Amino acid sequence: MGRATARRRVVRLRGDTTGARPDALAAEEPLEIRVGGEPLTVTMRTPGDDFDLVAGFLVGEGLVHTADTLAALRYCAGTDEDGANTYNVVDATLRGGAALPLSAHRNLLTTSACGLCGRDTVEAVRTHVRWPVAADPLRVAPRLLYGLPDLLRAAQRTFDSTGGLHAAGLFDATGRLLCAREDVGRHNAVDKVIGWALREGRLPLTGHLLLVSGRASFELTQKAALAGIPLLAAVSAPSSLAADLAEELGLTLVGFLRGESANVYTRPDRVTAGPAPAPAGPSVHQHAHGG
């Protein structure tokens, strides 16, 4: 659909001079998520990989666990004033026609800054983890971690033109980039990655690493754990609640992963000292369309 960016004319200031020029902006549009025809929520996202986004969101809500749980995904006929499909409504069909539990009817607006708005308490999001990560045998060398941000950055095609998107990348234990996704919301980027893994039949993601381009929040830690990912790394800071949850679940949380340095906040035993091969070249699944 090619809707990940939008063009806008701007006045550019350089010293004492001004000039008009076109500029590329990261697109942001609402996506309504329905399950079995019933509205569940609305999230503000960058169009593209919408089916992955919905699948990953449902994993994070504890509604879907494996690919065979999700029978179908389709765009509904949300239309604009000209009668054209906006591609801003996706309906998910659960296997066997299962309906949403009453607790899932949140009918809220999730902004690109927060994927947990509308939750009553933090305790309400401590969803049961289907695949405990505490016993995951993953071990990685520091130098493998140091190479991951460059691999993810190289896969950020839309960021190159807009400078305005978060990214999430899924890596295997050798440092090979398996999937990269971008979005105005960091939680959406993670959902897109996890949704891709679900649809590929890869859950649980035992022995994998998840890297996010911004900070590591409680919500992203929860999403990683629900997908069975034992290590979450971020180029920026984690929150205190993210560290608390990671410690509680036995998940390794890495922050400030920049250059040849990082902070390991929980389960440092998974980050082993000593030489290791450089991260493998990417085998990345990246595209800009909703299916």
Side-chain angles (χ1 to χ4, degrees):
M1 293 184 293
R3 294 160 50 209
T5 62
R7 304 288 288 180
R8 191 176 189 88
R9 195 165 183 80
V10 300
V11 173
R12 186 169 187 177
L13 308 179
R14 281 291 182 90
D16 294 328
T17 64
T18 62
R21 52 163 286 181
D23 192 34
L25 301 177
E28 184 175 28
E29 296 180 14
L31 178 70
E32 180 181 338
I33 299 173
R34 299 176 184 174
V35 176
E38 292 289 328
L40 176 60
T41 191
V42 176
T43 186
M44 302 302 296
R45 97 306 187 190
T46 299
D49 304 302
D50 289 335
F51 289 175
D52 287 346
L53 170 57
V54 173
F57 179 85
L58 295 177
V59 172
E61 292 295 301
L63 298 173
V64 168
H65 304 290
T66 58
D68 59 3
T69 315
L70 189 59
L73 291 162
R74 67 182 181 89
Y75 283 108
C76 297
T79 57
D80 60 19
E81 58 272 14
D82 297 322
N85 195 323
T86 62
Y87 294 97
N88 283 336
V89 182
V90 172
D91 189 21
T93 303
L94 304 185
R95 184 68 61 190
L100 285 174
L102 291 177
S103 60
H105 290 270
R106 291 198 276 148
N107 295 320
L108 53 88
L109 175 66
T110 303
T111 72
S112 59
C114 173
L116 292 178
C117 305
R119 298 280 190 158
D120 293 331
T121 63
V122 169
E123 288 71 23
V125 300
R126 292 185 184 271
T127 310
H128 174 70
V129 174
R130 188 180 182 88
W131 301 293
V133 298
D136 194 299
L138 175 71
R139 296 292 184 273
V140 297
R143 290 206 169 273
L144 184 142
L145 288 178
Y146 300 155
L148 302 185
D150 285 344
L151 291 176
L152 180 59
R153 178 65 184 83
Q156 291 182 251
R157 298 173 186 171
T158 308
F159 181 88
D160 287 337
S161 61
T162 66
L165 289 176
H166 292 286
L170 180 69
F171 298 83
D172 67 15
T174 70
R176 184 167 58 114
L177 180 58
L178 303 176
C179 178
R181 294 289 185 264
E182 299 180 273
D183 201 277
V184 288
R186 63 174 58 85
H187 61 284
N188 288 338
V190 169
D191 279 342
K192 288 178 177 181
V193 166
I194 293 174
W196 170 83
L198 174 88
R199 298 175 69 206
E200 291 288 315
R202 291 173 177 254
L203 294 190
L205 290 167
T206 305
H208 288 71
L209 304 83
L210 179 65
L211 174 65
V212 295
S213 62
R215 61 184 177 85
S217 64
F218 174 91
E219 179 201 13
L220 299 192
T221 306
Q222 182 199 17
K223 288 179 181 294
L226 285 168
I229 300 171
L231 191 152
L232 171 63
V235 300
S236 192
S239 69
S240 62
L241 205 54
D244 289 345
L245 181 62
E247 184 172 32
E248 176 185 320
L249 298 177
L251 183 148
T252 300
L253 181 62
V254 178
F256 293 107
L257 180 56
R258 303 170 183 174
E260 294 195 0
S261 66
N263 292 343
V264 184
Y265 293 86
T266 59
R267 287 296 301 270
D269 57 293
R270 287 200 178 98
V271 183
T272 58
S283 176
V284 62
H285 291 255
Q286 182 186 47
H287 48 85
H289 300 288

